[in-house]
């Protein structure tokens, strides 16, 4: 049976975005961080991507995302982590400073970029997308411009190959 007095005594914000942000803020720092990493990939990310970043970041992203699953913020199905609602992804993404997001996208893109000759199409497209989300201001060394351009060229060619319109 519902405890109406207890329910009515709860102090809840009027804005759902504030409520969701506060819910994420209540998590441990590691779970918050993992949730922010996932938010950089939109609504969902394949576990292969998460495990690749897990090693590069030297963080236990998988275990921390599993905590977020138990908290109801994420769903895990078909080897993917998905945000339970788009507002949760938005709240996690907006918890990061804009400049930090650019640097994170750039790092994730460079980390996921397959080397020349590797043929992981999904990682190629995800890496190019991350680098493009980072924007040109994230490039810290001019030599990286050529790497980013080459990766975008490869991703563009792959996208054209995959298209029915070619």
């Amino acid at each position: 049976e519902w405890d109406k007095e207890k329910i009515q005594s709860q102090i809840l914000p009027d804005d759902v975005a504030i409520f969701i942000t506060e819910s994420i803020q209540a998590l441990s720092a590691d779970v918050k961080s993992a949730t922010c990493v996932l938010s950089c990939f939109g609504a969902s990310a394949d576990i292969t991507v998460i495990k690749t970043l897990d090693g590069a970041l030297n963080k236990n992203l998988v275990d921390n995302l599993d905590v977020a699953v138990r908290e109801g913020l994420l769903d895990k199905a078909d080897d993917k982590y998905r945000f339970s609602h788009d507002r949760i992804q938005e709240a996690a993404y907006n918890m990061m400073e804009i400049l930090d997001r650019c640097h994170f996208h750039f790092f994730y893109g460079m980390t996921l970029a397959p080397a020349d000759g590797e043929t992981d199409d999904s990682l190629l497209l995800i890496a190019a997308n991350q680098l493009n989300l980072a924007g040109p201001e994230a490039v810290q060394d001019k030599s990286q411009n050529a790497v980013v351009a080459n990766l975008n060229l490869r991703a563009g060619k792959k996208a054209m190959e995959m298209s029915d319109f070619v």
Side-chain angles (χ1 to χ4, degrees):
E1 188 169 314
W2 295 87
D3 185 346
K4 291 180 184 179
E5 287 180 29
K6 186 174 182 180
I7 292 170
Q8 291 173 344
S9 69
Q10 294 293 313
I11 300 171
L12 297 173
D14 293 331
D15 185 354
V16 70
I18 294 170
F19 176 73
I20 292 170
T21 301
E22 288 174 355
S23 298
I24 296 170
Q25 292 285 9
L27 300 171
S28 73
D30 289 340
V31 175
K32 272 191 291 195
S33 176
T35 305
C36 287
V37 170
L38 180 63
S39 75
C40 288
F41 294 89
S44 67
D46 192 89
I47 198 156
T48 305
V49 170
I50 299 302
K51 286 182 177 180
T52 301
L53 292 175
D54 195 275
L57 293 169
N58 201 20
K59 293 185 177 185
N60 198 346
L61 294 175
V62 172
D63 288 345
N64 288 310
L65 290 175
D66 287 340
V67 171
V69 169
R70 288 191 296 275
E71 292 293 324
L73 297 171
L74 306 176
D75 297 317
K76 185 177 179 182
D78 302 324
D79 289 330
K80 282 190 177 208
Y81 285 99
R82 291 184 177 90
F83 283 94
S84 300
H85 193 279
D86 62 332
R87 295 297 295 262
I88 298 170
Q89 185 270 335
E90 182 182 318
Y93 193 71
N94 288 333
M95 286 173 41
M96 298 177 283
E97 296 292 326
I98 292 172
L99 189 57
D100 290 339
R101 288 193 303 233
C102 291
H103 292 295
F104 293 150
H105 283 299
F106 189 79
F107 177 78
Y108 303 155
M110 295 300 278
T111 300
L112 295 171
D116 285 337
E118 286 186 34
T119 58
D120 192 337
D121 298 341
S122 63
L123 281 183
L124 172 65
L125 298 174
I126 292 168
N129 184 53
Q130 287 296 306
L131 291 169
N132 292 330
L133 288 170
E137 59 275 356
V139 176
Q140 297 172 357
D141 179 358
K142 293 222 184 252
S143 67
Q144 293 173 323
N145 284 329
V147 173
V148 172
N150 182 39
L151 189 72
N152 268 306
L153 176 64
R154 289 171 47 207
K157 286 180 177 179
K158 182 51 63 182
M160 296 216 21
E161 284 175 19
M162 296 167 63
S163 173
D164 289 337
F165 301 107
V166 177

